[in-house]
Amino acid sequence: GIYALSQCKNDYEKLLLLGADNEWIQKRISDGHQLNLYLFPETSDKYQATWATWEGIMQLLQMHEPEIYSRIKPFEHELKHKSFTEIESRSEFQFFDVDELGPTDPRYLTKERFLQIGVDELSLVHVR
């Protein structure tokens, strides 16, 4: 939580604590990106914050993207219990490489591309 973040010696440690991968951080820095951390109150008159947990993500998808949620729901248990490395090992490519290539790479899943995949063809790699 916030206390753990306050104990970090620098912003780099904060990013690692929040789950960012070292390679991802280094690439963003070398590309000249500036990374910011914003903290919001849990509730206000205008909104209620959602915790950045699998439960929170699933709740948001169910409310705002029901078509996406229905495709991801069958993989919820695996998403929660498999590591990034375990999921990536089922892929024929490195996620970081495809992320770097961006939408010009057909393996980069935009919302539209994801919805074009047949429900019976979806895999844990797709929903990750």
Side-chain angles (χ1 to χ4, degrees):
I2 293 176
Y3 177 77
L5 285 171
S6 74
Q7 301 304 300
C8 292
K9 295 176 185 164
N10 53 50
D11 292 339
Y12 181 79
E13 285 184 7
K14 291 175 186 173
L15 287 169
L16 291 173
L17 179 68
L18 292 169
D21 176 78
N22 181 48
E23 184 179 13
W24 182 87
I25 296 169
Q26 293 304 321
K27 178 64 177 157
R28 296 305 174 276
I29 292 170
S30 69
D31 287 347
H33 291 256
Q34 179 178 339
L35 305 171
N36 299 296
L37 174 63
Y38 297 96
L39 302 177
F40 299 92
E42 188 172 346
T43 59
S44 81
D45 294 339
K46 297 180 182 178
Y47 67 87
Q48 179 170 345
T50 301
W51 284 97
T53 63
W54 281 115
E55 288 78 15
I57 291 168
M58 292 300 191
Q59 180 185 20
L60 288 172
L61 285 171
Q62 189 174 20
M63 288 187 322
H64 301 289
E65 295 283 354
E67 189 174 12
I68 299 286
Y69 173 76
S70 68
R71 293 167 152 257
I72 292 175
K73 178 69 175 153
F75 300 93
E76 183 175 4
H77 180 80
E78 286 182 285
L79 286 169
K80 289 179 179 180
H81 295 94
K82 299 271 185 210
S83 70
F84 178 88
T85 303
E86 288 175 298
I87 297 171
E88 188 176 51
S89 72
R90 296 182 182 189
S91 175
E92 296 176 358
F93 54 87
Q94 299 292 307
F95 293 157
F96 182 81
D97 294 341
V98 173
D99 186 54
E100 284 303 301
L101 293 169
T104 59
D105 188 304
R107 299 170 299 179
Y108 186 94
L109 286 184
T110 61
K111 178 180 176 180
E112 293 75 22
R113 288 179 183 162
F114 180 73
L115 291 173
Q116 289 175 355
I117 300 170
V119 174
D120 293 338
E121 298 173 37
L122 282 175
S123 71
L124 181 61
V125 170
H126 293 119
V127 301
R128 166 59 184 85

